[in-house]
């Protein structure tokens, strides 16, 4: 598949792209003799921000170089470890004339990349700061990349609503490689049209659309002005941190390590194992009492943001949750108790490359010159055609389209509907499950902890989503309690709680892998009503704290929803618990290895291949402190094989009925339901104790396939509960699961009268089916091992545990492997 979007600029020149050579360095006044090279040196470390301000030359803990930009384009300043010792060096680039920060990087170690825009002749000061550690030096590289504007769309980027009342139409939309948002309902999906080519593709698809926001560029620029004004008048906001403006990537990294430095024993900064395609590290936090004891047996609650680069509020909410936990623990009360019972892991920015590009795009709203503010994906170049692989991620001919969507790259149902098949699609799934470092990081995190609860944050559409992401996958056995937890959190933030497939089919998403592979509850929050990064005051502060105009105003907002999730993690009834005893210093390990098939893999040529079997290993550890232990774990049987939720019929299904045919033909109407003109036929659905309906199907057929009729089903309150509006066919089928008893109306709309005016119905009927009973799969065990202080295996057991169950494994380390195994099977 080739790129459709026309690049809005081109790389005119590339200078020193290796990052190993410093371009145009001159020694800063006051630097030591011999320092005019690419090695930064300091005998002292000082824990402070490197990007807050340009410090005087010779300031303790710093070193600096001066450079002049030779191009209009990008500056890249990199740091790499140098010499002996382990250390944490940070970097910032300042405009020499104004003292304003141009770019910065503050990762937890010394692998830094500061990148942003410069103009030819601009004088810069590169400031290196030794934050911590024993390393007295770091290697600096400064590169410049020229970018010349070219081309651009003749119209501004727009947000449109595409009418998709049927599943077939939603599937059709997802094949167009358009920028599909998470704002969707039963009859439509909001889509961004970034270019003239996008508009052409949608027009030629035959799908109907209406403009929701005619100029996204103007909206973004207005938001930036509003944010600047709000920050200027708000010295401290209602957020736990008091912040009043969107963070940059370097803000997140710096605050992560500052929270850890200022709260020893409670907060630990972590770096996830895989660096990104651009070489950046991904940082996070652990918050727990005795936080350095990683094998303490507590339930693990994970919160993460920014899988999608442009969704800035998701990172803000994750970071504020970290402050909430620290402040709440220090203050005492409910949060102190909950933090004491759990281990919290927070990864504010999963997709750091993409976020940095979206966040640093300037000027805000100028999509014609530089369209990366609306970048969604990561920076993988490997799946692009050769001509689109050149240049760094911020300067490549593929524009914002290059990369993989991390939230389509997990193994859960990967390869099926609801993900892009070609590299230029905004939902491109990648070359294979877990092909991306970002998803491998989360896989490693979840696979090596007992993550009982997980929230992944996105924007927008005010939703709390749960598994499954595919309509054809029946709900898991946990559906009743899973739904109840989602509903409870939605009651706090005012969002809608629903399965993810109700948006549209999605494969390769975070929670479809994490839940079905581990059994830990996983949810997606879609924050905000109508923008990816709306004004900070509304999209972050109001949504988090539950303030007007957010739908959670007065209900607690996302803050209280996060507390509900943490309370669930702390509740033994929501997971499994192992109890027993072991000598001090002995190590217990739970382990499980298995393979799970993906979806049958859809191929770009239209064919369907066999599923791919993905191997996973779940491993978690507990260090015995001597005597009795309690270990919070997920159920031993994976939800993928445990079975599917249903219910036994409590009566027969209702008999089908043929609905009466009014005389004539339905009136022509191409704007339904905005224009309510239609032929309406009422019908009634019975309920218990008379009948038990698990599914309702309303179908209609007519004589002439050239005529296009649509079918909508309304409940007694006038809400559309299901519909069918396909084109190119002479029949429609609208399906509703578990229809409540009551009065309904079928509305028949003549969208396109191409046949004879006397054309009449062949049939309009309602059929009913009984509910599907619950199904159960085979039980699966964990393998529990115990090793002594010398690493020798002294105990082995197969452990079976269900959700809410406490299993006593006894003195597992004191018996022979055979005895322990037999005990575990009973």
């Amino acid at each position: 598949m080739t790129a459709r979007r026309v690049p809005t600029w081109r790389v005119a020149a590339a200078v020193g792209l290796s990052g190993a050579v410093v371009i145009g360095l001159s020694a800063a006044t006051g630097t030591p003799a011999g320092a005019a090279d690419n090695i930064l040196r300091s005998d002292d470390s000082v824990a402070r921000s490197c990007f807050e301000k340009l410090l005087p030359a010779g300031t303790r803990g710093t070193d600096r170089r001066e450079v002049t930009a030779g191009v209009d384009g990008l500056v890249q300043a990199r740091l790499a470890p140098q010499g002996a010792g382990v250390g944490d060096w940070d970097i910032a680039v300042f405009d020499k004339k104004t003292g304003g920060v141009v770019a910065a990087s503050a990762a937890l170690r010394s692998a830094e990349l500061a990148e942003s825009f410069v103009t030819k002749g601009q004088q810069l000061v590169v400031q290196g700061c030794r934050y911590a550690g024993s390393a007295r030096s770091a290697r600096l590289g400064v590169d410049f990349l020229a970018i010349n504007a070219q081309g651009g769309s003749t119209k501004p980027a727009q947000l449109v609503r595409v009418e998709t009342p049927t599943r077939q139409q939603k599937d059709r939309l997802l094949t167009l490689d358009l920028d599909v948002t998470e704002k969707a309902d039963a009859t439509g999906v909001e889509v961004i049209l970034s270019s003239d080519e996008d508009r052409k593709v949608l027009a030629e698809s035959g799908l109907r659309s209406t403009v929701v926001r005619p100029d996204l560029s103007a909206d973004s620029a207005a938001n930036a002005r509003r944010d600047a004004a709000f920050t200027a008048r708000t010295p401290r906001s209602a957020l736990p941190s008091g912040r009043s403006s969107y963070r940059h990537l370097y803000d997140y990294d710096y605050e992560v390590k500052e929270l850890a430095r200022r709260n020893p024993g409670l907060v630990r900064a972590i770096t996830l194992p895989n660096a990104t395609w651009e070489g950046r590290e991904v940082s996070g936090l652990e918050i727990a009492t005795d936080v350095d004891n990683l094998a303490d047996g507590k339930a693990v609650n994970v919160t993460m943001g920014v899988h999608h680069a442009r969704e800035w509020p998701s990172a803000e909410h994750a970071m504020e949750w970290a402050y909430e936990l620290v402040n709440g623990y220090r203050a005492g009360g409910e949060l102190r108790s909950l933090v004491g019972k759990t281990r919290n892991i927070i990864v504010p920015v999963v997709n750091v490359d993409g976020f940095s590009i979206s966040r640093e795009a300037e000027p805000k709203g100028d999509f014609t010159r530089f369209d990366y503010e609306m970048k969604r994906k990561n920076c993988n170049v490997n799946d692009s055609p050769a001509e689109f692989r050149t240049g760094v991620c911020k300067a490549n001919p593929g524009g914002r389209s290059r990369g993989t969507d991390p939230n389509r790259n997990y193994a859960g149902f990967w390869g099926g509907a609801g993900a892009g098949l070609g590299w230029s699609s905004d939902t491109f799934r990648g070359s294979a499950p877990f092909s991306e470092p970002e998803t491998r990081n989360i896989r490693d995190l979840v696979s090596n902890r007992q993550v009982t609860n997980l929230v992944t944050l996105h924007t927008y559409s005010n939703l709390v989503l749960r598994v499954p992401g595919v309509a054809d996958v029946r709900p898991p056995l946990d559906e009743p309690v899973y739904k109840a937890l989602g509903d409870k959190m939605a009651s706090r933030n005012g969002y809608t709680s629903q399965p993810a497939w109700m948006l549209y089919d999605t494969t390769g998403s975070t929670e479809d892998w994490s839940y079905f592979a581990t059994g830990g509850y996983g949810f997606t929050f879609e924050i905000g009503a109508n923008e990816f990064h709306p004004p900070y005051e509304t999209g972050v502060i109001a949504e988090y704290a539950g303030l007007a105009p957010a739908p959670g105003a007065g209900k607690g907002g996302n803050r209280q929803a996060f507390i509900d999730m943490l309370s669930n993690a702390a509740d033994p009834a929501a997971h499994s618990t192992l109890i027993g005893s072991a000598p001090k210093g002995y190590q217990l390990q739970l382990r499980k290895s298995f393979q799970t098939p993906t979806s049958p893999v859809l191929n770009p040529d239209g064919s369907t291949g066999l599923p791919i079997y993905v191997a996973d290993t779940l491993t978690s550890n507990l260090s015995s402190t001597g005597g009795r232990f309690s270990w919070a774990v997920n159920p031993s049987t994976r939800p993928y094989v445990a079975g599917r939720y249903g219910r036994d019929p409590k009566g027969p299904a209702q008999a089908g009925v043929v609905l009466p045919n009014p005389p004539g033909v339905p009136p022509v109407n191409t704007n339904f339901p905005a224009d309510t003109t239609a032929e309406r036929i009422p019908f009634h659905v019975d309920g218990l104790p008379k009948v038990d309906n698990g599914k309702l199907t309303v179908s209609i057929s007519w004589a002439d396939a050239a005529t296009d009729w649509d079918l909508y089903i309304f409940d007694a309150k006038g809400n559309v509960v299901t519909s069918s509006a396909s084109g190119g066919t002479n029949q429609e089928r609208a399906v509703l699961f578990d229809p409540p008893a009551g009065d309904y109306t079928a509305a028949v709309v003549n969208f396109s009268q191409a046949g004879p005016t006397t054309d009449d119905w062949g049939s309009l009927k309602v059929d009913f089916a009984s509910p599907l009973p619950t199904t159960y799969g085979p039980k699966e065990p964990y393998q529990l091992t115990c090793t002594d202080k010398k690493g020798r295996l002294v105990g082995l057991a197969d452990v079976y545990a269900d959700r809410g169950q406490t299993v006593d494994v006894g003195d597992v380390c004191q018996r022979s492997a055979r005895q322990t195994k037999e005990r575990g099977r009973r």
Side-chain angles (χ1 to χ4, degrees):
M1 186 174 295
T2 58
R4 292 187 292 97
R5 295 182 179 85
V6 178
T8 56
W9 40 263
R10 62 185 175 88
V11 179
V15 183
L17 287 179
S18 68
V21 179
V22 179
I23 305 300
L25 277 182
S26 60
T29 303
T31 52
D37 54 22
N38 68 331
I39 305 300
L40 301 183
R41 302 172 177 85
S42 175
D43 290 335
D44 301 303
S45 64
V46 180
R48 64 175 164 221
S49 168
C50 197
F51 55 81
E52 182 179 358
K53 61 183 178 181
L54 179 59
L55 298 167
T59 299
R60 189 169 69 92
T62 70
D63 197 1
R64 60 192 288 180
R65 299 290 186 271
E66 295 185 11
V67 296
T68 300
V71 299
D72 290 321
L74 295 176
V75 60
Q76 283 191 326
R78 292 182 182 270
L79 278 184
Q82 167 70 23
V86 176
D88 180 1
W89 280 76
D90 297 336
I91 192 173
V93 181
F94 294 89
D95 181 273
K96 184 178 180 180
K97 182 177 180 180
T98 66
V101 64
V102 174
S105 180
L108 303 188
R109 295 179 288 200
S110 297
E112 309 288 353
L113 170 58
E115 181 183 59
S116 196
F117 295 98
V118 293
T119 58
K120 186 174 182 178
Q122 185 176 4
Q123 293 181 302
L124 306 170
V125 181
V126 182
Q127 177 171 277
C129 305
R130 183 182 166 192
Y131 178 86
S134 59
R136 297 177 178 231
S137 62
R139 187 173 72 253
L140 171 67
V142 181
D143 301 332
F144 291 100
L145 211 66
I147 301 175
N148 291 342
Q150 70 171 27
S153 177
T154 60
K155 296 180 182 179
Q158 295 179 322
L159 183 71
V160 301
R161 175 183 166 86
V162 180
E163 301 305 318
T164 56
T166 69
R167 183 179 174 190
Q168 292 83 357
Q169 288 172 312
K170 283 186 168 63
D171 290 344
R172 169 65 174 148
L173 174 62
L174 295 177
T175 68
L176 300 180
D177 286 351
L178 295 174
D179 191 355
V180 177
T181 76
E182 281 73 32
K183 184 69 174 290
D185 55 33
T187 61
V189 181
E190 290 189 3
V191 175
I192 291 177
L193 302 180
S194 299
S195 66
D196 297 337
E197 180 67 15
D198 285 350
R199 281 178 272 273
K200 179 182 178 183
V201 167
L202 181 59
E204 291 177 349
S205 73
L207 295 172
R208 290 168 267 170
S209 67
T210 54
V211 175
V212 177
R213 294 167 57 203
D215 192 338
L216 291 180
S217 299
D219 292 347
S220 180
N223 287 348
R225 293 191 296 270
R226 178 174 171 179
D227 280 347
F230 176 75
T231 302
R233 70 174 184 267
T234 310
R236 184 171 181 83
S237 74
L239 295 173
S241 71
R243 193 171 180 92
S244 58
S245 64
Y246 280 109
R247 294 169 170 90
H248 299 265
L249 180 61
Y250 51 81
D251 289 309
Y252 286 109
D253 286 338
Y254 178 70
E255 290 179 42
V256 161
K257 57 192 181 187
E258 276 292 281
L259 277 172
R261 184 181 67 84
R262 295 178 179 181
N263 297 277
L266 179 66
V267 181
R268 174 176 175 262
I270 60 174
T271 298
L272 300 187
N274 297 286
T276 66
W277 295 106
E278 292 277 280
R280 291 182 176 91
E281 295 179 337
V282 182
S283 302
L285 289 160
E286 292 198 43
I287 300 173
T289 54
D290 191 18
V291 70
D292 293 324
N293 178 16
L294 305 184
D296 56 11
K298 295 177 180 177
V300 178
N301 183 52
V302 171
T303 308
M304 66 184 96
V306 186
H307 273 77
H308 295 148
R310 61 195 174 192
E311 299 175 4
W312 307 349
S314 64
E316 294 291 332
H317 283 239
M319 194 72 219
E320 292 303 324
W321 177 234
Y323 280 96
E324 189 81 60
L325 292 171
V326 172
N327 296 348
Y329 181 82
R330 297 299 185 199
E334 178 189 22
L335 274 179
R336 183 179 182 89
S337 174
L338 290 175
V339 170
K341 296 174 182 177
T342 58
R343 175 170 292 266
N344 284 270
I345 301 177
I346 298 167
V347 183
V349 184
V350 173
N351 178 8
V352 296
D353 287 346
F355 171 73
S356 179
I357 288 171
S358 174
R359 182 67 183 91
E360 304 308 321
E362 292 289 355
K364 294 294 183 284
D366 186 1
F367 302 157
T368 60
R369 178 180 183 273
F370 191 76
D371 65 354
Y372 273 172
E373 185 182 336
M374 285 296 170
K375 184 173 177 63
R376 173 184 172 101
K377 301 187 288 184
N378 72 358
C379 285
N380 186 358
V381 306
N382 295 327
D383 299 303
S384 309
E387 64 268 28
F388 296 107
R389 294 181 188 175
T390 59
V392 298
C393 199
K394 250 184 187 165
N396 71 86
R400 57 178 283 274
S401 298
R402 194 174 75 173
T404 298
D405 181 347
N407 204 41
R408 300 295 185 273
N409 188 243
Y410 292 87
F413 309 116
W414 184 91
L421 309 186
W423 73 274
S424 63
S425 168
D426 275 283
T427 58
F428 177 51
R429 67 195 185 192
S431 58
F434 296 115
S435 63
E436 309 307 305
E438 295 85 358
T439 56
R440 291 198 300 273
N441 277 332
I442 304 306
R443 181 193 199 184
D444 180 87
L445 180 66
V446 172
S447 296
N448 290 289
R449 309 294 184 98
Q450 288 291 338
V451 176
T452 63
N453 296 70
L454 180 149
V455 173
T456 175
L457 301 173
H458 290 253
T459 62
Y460 61 92
S461 62
N462 287 348
L463 295 170
V464 175
L465 301 175
R466 64 185 183 275
V467 305
V470 181
D472 286 342
V473 176
R474 289 175 59 195
L477 289 176
D478 287 323
E479 169 65 6
V481 290
Y482 209 158
K483 179 181 183 300
L485 178 55
D487 291 352
K488 182 177 183 181
M489 293 189 291
S491 74
R492 310 295 195 175
N493 54 28
Y495 299 174
T496 298
S497 170
Q498 65 183 44
W501 63 261
M502 292 185 70
L503 277 176
Y504 41 72
D505 276 351
T506 301
T507 51
S509 64
T510 311
E511 64 269 29
D512 265 352
W513 170 75
S514 67
Y515 170 76
F516 281 109
T518 74
Y521 290 134
F523 291 89
T524 288
F525 282 20
E526 294 286 354
I527 301 168
N530 51 24
E531 293 186 73
F532 291 113
H533 44 266
Y536 196 83
E537 183 180 10
T538 55
V540 178
I541 298 172
E543 293 285 347
Y544 183 88
L547 304 173
K555 305 173 186 176
N558 277 326
R559 174 191 181 274
Q560 188 58 52
F562 294 160
I563 292 175
D564 289 340
M565 190 63 157
L566 182 59
S567 298
N568 184 268
D571 183 0
H575 51 260
S576 305
T577 305
L578 302 186
I579 59 172
S581 60
K584 184 176 182 179
Y586 280 44
Q587 301 296 313
L588 303 177
Q589 183 179 89
L590 281 177
R591 182 179 176 88
K592 182 191 299 182
S593 294
F594 50 88
Q595 288 189 323
T596 307
T598 66
S599 298
V601 178
L602 302 178
N603 297 315
D605 65 3
S607 64
T608 301
L610 295 174
I612 298 170
Y613 278 81
V614 178
D616 278 306
T617 298
L618 309 181
T619 306
S620 54
N621 298 283
L622 182 140
S623 296
S624 175
T625 57
R628 300 289 291 174
F629 63 81
S630 178
W631 193 354
V633 301
N634 282 313
S636 56
T637 303
R638 292 174 293 134
Y640 185 83
V641 299
R644 295 293 182 268
Y645 178 70
R647 57 185 179 82
D648 294 330
K650 297 180 180 179
Q654 186 172 341
V657 59
V658 176
L659 299 182
N661 179 2
V665 296
V668 175
N669 185 348
T670 60
N671 193 29
F672 189 87
D675 179 350
T676 60
T677 304
E679 223 164 40
R680 298 174 183 272
I681 303 92
F683 64 95
H684 184 78
V685 174
D686 293 327
L688 293 171
K690 184 178 180 181
V691 297
D692 188 2
N693 296 315
K695 185 171 77 170
L696 168 157
T697 302
V698 184
S699 58
I700 185 172
S701 63
W702 57 95
D704 191 344
T707 298
D708 183 3
W709 292 2
D710 296 338
L711 176 65
Y712 295 81
I713 309 303
F714 291 84
D715 64 13
K717 296 181 180 179
N719 299 315
V720 176
V721 292
T722 184
S723 61
S724 180
S726 303
T729 179
N730 64 339
Q731 59 184 353
E732 300 286 356
R733 294 176 69 253
V735 176
L736 181 65
F737 291 97
D738 289 325
D743 293 321
Y744 292 80
T745 301
V748 182
V749 180
N750 186 348
F751 178 74
S752 175
Q753 179 66 65
T757 56
T758 58
D759 195 7
D760 210 350
W761 300 349
S763 67
L764 175 62
K765 60 181 181 178
V766 186
D767 294 308
F768 299 88
S770 296
L772 294 174
T774 299
T775 62
Y776 297 93
K779 293 285 187 179
E780 276 189 342
Y782 283 114
Q783 185 179 69
L784 173 64
T785 60
C786 178
T787 54
D788 63 16
K789 295 179 181 180
K790 295 183 178 180
R792 297 173 298 191
L793 178 67
V794 295
L796 175 67
D798 286 343
V799 175
Y800 295 81
D802 295 326
R803 195 177 302 278
Q805 182 181 17
T806 297
V807 176
D808 190 345
V809 297
D811 297 328
V812 65
C813 299
Q814 299 300 318
R815 295 185 302 276
S816 71
R818 177 181 295 275
Q819 290 173 322
T820 303
K821 187 171 184 177
E822 289 305 314
R823 178 186 176 96
R825 288 189 183 278
R826 289 197 291 270

